[in-house]
Amino acid sequence: MNGHTVVPHSYDYDLIVIGGGSGGLAAAKEAAKYEKKVMVLDFVTPTPLGNSWGLGGTCVNVGCIPKKLMHQAALLGQALQDSRKFGWQFPEEVKHNWMTMTESVQNYIGSLNWGYRVALREKKVTYENAYGEFVGPHTVKATNKRGVEKLYTAERFLIATGERPRYLGIPGDKEYCISSDDLFSLPYCPGKTLVVGASYVALECAGFLAGVGLDVTVMVRSILLRGFDQDIANKIGEYMEEHGINFIREFVPIKVEQIKEGTPGILKVTSKSTKGNEIIEGEYNTVLLAIGRDACTRKIGLDKVGVIINEKTGKIPVNDKEQTNVPYIYAIGDILQDKLELTPVAIQAGRLLVRRLYAGATTKCDYVNVPTTVFTPLEYGACGYSEEAAVEEFGEENIEVYHSHFWPLEWTVPSRDNNKCYAKIICNIQDSERVIGFHVLGPNAGEVTQGFAAAMKCGITKEQLDSTIGIHPVCAEIFTTLTVTKRSGENTLLSGC
């Protein structure tokens, strides 16, 4: 079924994309390049507190973009403190203004929303701000915010609906708690905040909230950053605790009550131990839930067209061409079963899918060795296997872990956080010590990781890393001089340059 097949029916569109996030928009614009008739349906169901946003999806509006900007706000606060030791003089009291930050961030996001609409128009992609759901073969119903319904048909469909934050299902959660969908446009400073969850979303938000001077507590049910390297995850937790973030471990909220209305008000949170019957109570101005996200697949009529989903998770199983069990329906992004939930992955998968459908290409999306970064106060960049996954896959005797702490030069003059940053590579002994896992904990971790990810795609070995001359004095050069193995038990703490 390539793009040149004669279509027996006359459809309204060649391709209808349901979901105007990163993946959906990338696919729609790519399809328009090949002069296909394309429609994008995008609709944001408001949060329980009534928030919604413009075209562009989670990443742009309530994800990566505002998160990184608010993380930057926190880093600037730290830089202000450091700058005194570098000779900068200014009054002792330095304040942060929440409203100035959120307005600036929202203004930038607004410009992106506008840019996406203009780009679709220029590429002659039809955009409707309407909720798309399948009603029959090759047919969707689009419902706009006024409730007006229209039917559209297409030869092919792409589902790119993404995910939304999960709620606890306890008294008061939707009435009084916020999620990341609300935080970045919150029209008041959140004050004393309880962050519930141990996901990267939870830790990133806790990090920047504390970084702009707020009293922050993180309530963790079990482990931090499930699915990530646990050695690193624990180091992140230790660093955050050392920098004033409180952790309540092995407790879950069972009730949230409002004690006082306001912006912010006061909430009472009752929580129960996961290990016994102990009950604790605490008062906070804001409760932020970051306990996971659910795929937006259960209310788009997939049952009407026979698309199979994982009943437990709502995720859609696809083949290696992002095709569902219904041949004319494809899916990309966070809704895919057993795939990475990352914006650039959705974009890549969407573009490559369209090129296969309409341009005769054969390249498939490579879901292996995808780099990512967690923007916690101490940033964490990773590519490839975690240590746990490598041991499970190859056996402990077949992997060699090289590691070291390091101290960024920029932190030496303010004399802070010595030996908190950490570098680790995991090598497959049986395959010429090929690097199969890369992990860095330190400033600019994303910038560092991106380059090494390209090297890993090329199959870099430990010997090749060692033969690479480092750039002095930068953090990333540590990866060219790693000598200590984990199994040796030798000290990895560094001193000097």
Side-chain angles (χ1 to χ4, degrees):
M1 282 184 72
N2 65 37
H4 308 294
T5 309
V6 177
V7 185
H9 298 280
S10 176
Y11 296 110
D12 298 327
Y13 292 92
D14 295 303
L15 177 69
I16 291 180
V17 179
I18 304 178
S22 307
L25 291 177
K29 288 186 281 191
E30 191 71 22
K33 278 187 194 172
Y34 306 110
E35 300 189 336
K36 296 298 168 186
K37 197 176 179 192
V38 185
M39 170 180 259
V40 172
L41 296 173
D42 186 63
F43 187 88
V44 179
T45 304
T47 71
L49 298 184
N51 286 316
S52 60
W53 45 88
L55 182 62
T58 294
C59 173
V60 165
N61 293 283
V62 290
C64 335
I65 298 297
K67 171 270 298 287
K68 178 91 185 289
L69 291 172
M70 292 192 179
H71 171 63
Q72 174 66 6
L75 293 182
L76 288 171
Q78 180 67 66
L80 277 171
Q81 302 306 321
D82 289 356
S83 71
R84 295 183 196 278
K85 284 286 179 74
F86 286 94
W88 288 96
Q89 296 176 343
F90 47 87
E92 276 305 308
E93 191 180 27
V94 177
K95 284 184 177 175
H96 181 267
N97 186 303
W98 177 269
M99 288 310 300
T100 301
M101 176 180 71
T102 51
E103 281 174 23
S104 301
V105 168
Q106 289 304 318
N107 286 343
Y108 175 62
I109 290 170
S111 73
L112 294 178
N113 298 145
W114 174 247
Y116 292 133
R117 294 186 70 155
V118 169
L120 291 182
R121 196 158 59 234
E122 285 175 350
K123 290 179 168 53
K124 297 184 171 56
V125 173
T126 305
Y127 160 62
E128 280 213 19
N129 181 202
Y131 189 93
E133 56 187 310
F134 289 97
V135 290
H138 292 276
T139 309
V140 288
K141 176 176 75 176
T143 309
N144 70 15
K145 60 186 174 191
R146 292 185 299 278
V148 177
E149 298 177 356
K150 294 179 187 171
L151 294 180
Y152 298 104
T153 61
E155 182 191 0
R156 293 189 180 92
F157 291 84
L158 176 60
I159 308 167
T161 48
E163 299 181 305
R164 295 293 292 274
R166 188 177 303 146
Y167 284 78
L168 285 162
I170 61 169
D173 64 344
K174 289 187 176 175
E175 293 85 348
Y176 306 124
C177 299
I178 66 169
S179 73
S180 55
D181 281 358
D182 306 294
L183 178 64
F184 302 111
S185 58
L186 201 66
Y188 54 85
C189 179
K192 183 183 178 184
T193 302
L194 174 68
V195 179
V196 181
S199 62
Y200 74 90
V201 177
L203 299 187
E204 288 177 337
C205 292
F208 72 67
L209 290 172
V212 299
L214 302 183
D215 179 343
V216 178
T217 300
V218 181
M219 184 173 285
V220 180
R221 185 185 60 188
S222 53
I223 63 170
L224 299 179
L225 295 175
R226 187 178 302 279
F228 288 90
D229 189 281
Q230 285 302 293
D231 178 22
I232 305 270
N234 292 329
K235 285 178 165 54
I236 291 171
E238 286 166 20
Y239 183 90
M240 290 174 72
E241 283 194 89
E242 286 167 9
H243 285 256
I245 297 172
N246 309 303
F247 279 79
I248 300 174
R249 295 175 186 271
E250 298 180 335
F251 273 86
V252 290
I254 54 172
K255 183 168 62 174
V256 180
E257 300 164 278
Q258 187 178 63
I259 293 175
K260 185 182 169 190
E261 284 189 33
T263 51
I266 300 176
L267 303 172
K268 183 169 88 169
V269 180
T270 307
S271 306
K272 186 176 186 296
S273 167
T274 58
K275 288 282 193 282
N277 295 318
E278 187 186 351
I279 301 284
I280 59 170
E281 291 180 349
E283 289 187 9
Y284 305 91
N285 298 119
T286 299
V287 178
L288 170 66
L289 302 182
I291 55 168
R293 300 171 65 80
D294 290 324
C296 300
T297 54
R298 297 187 194 273
K299 295 179 181 175
I300 56 171
L302 294 182
D303 53 323
K304 302 268 198 335
V305 283
V307 172
I308 291 169
I309 67 168
N310 180 317
E311 280 306 325
K312 185 167 180 253
T313 63
K315 298 264 189 169
I316 301 177
V318 292
N319 62 17
D320 63 354
K321 295 177 181 175
E322 285 80 39
Q323 190 174 36
T324 70
N325 64 299
V326 177
Y328 66 88
I329 300 176
Y330 298 80
I332 57 169
D334 292 2
I335 56 173
L336 296 191
Q337 184 170 289
D338 302 325
K339 295 286 190 288
L340 295 157
E341 299 175 9
L342 296 166
T343 279
V345 172
I347 292 170
Q348 178 91 318
R351 285 182 181 149
L352 293 177
L353 166 62
V354 166
R355 287 171 198 164
R356 292 194 305 272
L357 292 178
Y358 301 126
T362 56
T363 305
K364 297 171 189 171
C365 186
D366 183 358
Y367 292 94
V368 177
N369 283 343
V370 175
T372 187
T373 295
V374 180
F375 291 96
T376 35
L378 197 56
E379 296 174 15
Y380 167 35
C383 184
Y385 285 87
S386 67
E387 195 174 333
E388 296 84 1
V391 168
E392 193 177 321
E393 178 79 15
F394 301 101
E396 197 164 355
E397 69 283 0
N398 293 318
I399 66 162
E400 197 73 83
V401 177
Y402 295 88
H403 65 149
S404 179
H405 286 83
F406 62 94
W407 197 13
L409 180 65
E410 296 84 349
W411 296 5
T412 57
V413 168
S415 194
R416 68 174 173 91
D417 296 322
N418 190 5
N419 284 309
K420 299 299 178 193
C421 297
Y422 182 69
K424 171 163 83 171
I425 60 166
I426 301 156
C427 300
N428 182 353
I429 295 170
Q430 302 296 324
D431 187 16
S432 309
E433 282 207 311
R434 197 169 306 286
V435 179
I436 57 169
F438 175 95
H439 303 272
V440 61
L441 192 56
N444 306 302
E447 310 294 352
V448 173
T449 306
Q450 184 71 76
F452 284 104
M456 286 178 68
K457 280 281 184 200
C458 300
I460 193 167
T461 63
K462 178 66 168 70
E463 186 183 7
Q464 289 169 323
L465 257 186
D466 292 344
S467 69
T468 303
I469 295 172
I471 301 167
H472 194 64
V474 301
C475 294
E477 70 177 315
I478 191 74
F479 287 97
T480 66
T481 59
L482 291 173
T483 56
V484 178
T485 65
K486 245 193 179 179
R487 76 172 91 237
S488 75
E490 288 175 39
N491 184 23
T492 63
L493 301 179
L494 282 191
S495 58
C497 71

